[in-house]
Amino acid sequence: MSEKQHVDFWFDPLCPWAWMTSRWMEEVNKIRDVEVNWRIISLGILNENNPDNHHQGHIESMWMVRVIEAAAQKHGDEYYKKLYDAMGTRRHPGGMEDELEIIQESLAEVGLPAELADAKDSEDYDAAIRASTEAAQAVAGQDIGTPCIAVNGVGFFGPVFTPAPKGEEAGKVWDGALALASYPGFYEIKRGREKGPDFS
């Protein structure tokens, strides 16, 4: 396992479970040889044909991902991660619910122009967001949600944690995920959730 592992990590800032998994990935990045490519997946797009899902018809579910995509296109791919960290910190452990306020504060934090917030209402970025979402589905299946990761091109939904593993424990869980991903016939492992997200 000494060889560098390439990870695609798809996130939607609205999803608390993706946030938990992203914090685990941060820990893994400190103690294992990984290269993480942070990418957008849209809950709004994933659920656009599901009338029973609470994201259906919610234009606001696209706001943050549109702004992140606009920032990355105009200022560089590093803003996928920078803005995700800024928005996710406010949304999840911070408990903020006003998406416009989250967007405005996050843009200021990472030093980007305030007018990028206008991208929340623009459909100009939806094709790129849809393509990124479909890329996750292409490696992990059509019935996925968030979080979604791919390890060396092998994708799957999850892993889902509460709370996120830290330190060497995070590394041990990573080693297990890597072992599962390395087996060509691996598809799924799951158990029911009894707890909500623990951001401690």
Side-chain angles (χ1 to χ4, degrees):
M1 295 186 183
S2 60
E3 184 179 344
K4 184 183 288 291
Q5 307 299 323
H6 298 275
V7 181
D8 288 296
F9 190 110
W10 283 272
F11 65 86
D12 186 316
L14 285 175
C15 180
W17 300 109
W19 178 254
M20 302 291 288
T21 305
S22 74
R23 299 311 92 184
W24 164 68
M25 199 70 249
E26 290 273 78
E27 293 288 308
V28 172
N29 202 30
K30 298 174 186 175
I31 59 176
R32 295 292 189 270
D33 191 10
V34 298
E35 179 180 345
V36 185
N37 180 28
W38 298 89
R39 308 177 68 174
I40 289 173
I41 188 170
S42 168
L43 286 168
I45 290 173
L46 286 176
N47 292 290
E48 62 188 350
N49 296 317
N50 181 0
D52 296 324
N53 190 283
H54 67 280
H55 294 288
Q56 171 67 17
H58 287 201
I59 296 300
E60 290 183 18
S61 71
M62 294 291 288
W63 282 9
M64 289 194 282
V65 291
R66 282 174 173 167
V67 172
I68 292 173
E69 182 61 35
Q73 288 189 21
K74 293 181 178 181
H75 299 278
D77 286 354
E78 67 269 23
Y79 286 101
Y80 284 119
K81 179 66 163 56
K82 288 182 178 181
L83 275 174
Y84 179 41
D85 285 346
M87 291 179 181
T89 297
R90 287 168 172 79
R91 174 76 181 192
H92 302 299
M96 290 178 62
E97 295 186 358
D98 186 318
E99 285 193 49
L100 180 56
E101 187 177 1
I102 290 171
I103 289 168
Q104 292 170 334
E105 288 189 8
S106 297
L107 289 171
E109 178 184 321
V110 303
L112 288 177
E115 55 265 27
L116 269 174
D118 295 341
K120 71 181 179 63
D121 297 316
S122 174
E123 296 182 359
D124 292 347
Y125 305 98
D126 290 6
I129 294 167
R130 183 174 296 276
S132 185
T133 299
E134 290 175 351
Q137 293 176 305
V139 298
Q142 293 297 307
D143 58 345
I144 59 166
T146 59
C148 178
I149 70 171
V151 182
N152 299 329
V154 178
F156 48 88
F157 167 73
V160 175
F161 305 109
T162 187
K166 296 179 174 62
E168 185 53 35
E169 187 174 36
K172 290 178 181 178
V173 173
W174 166 255
D175 295 341
L178 192 60
L180 289 171
S182 69
Y183 180 67
F186 169 70
Y187 285 100
E188 184 174 358
I189 183 171
K190 184 175 182 177
R191 66 175 178 173
R193 291 195 300 258
E194 297 179 351
K195 297 180 180 178
D198 176 357
F199 301 117
S200 61

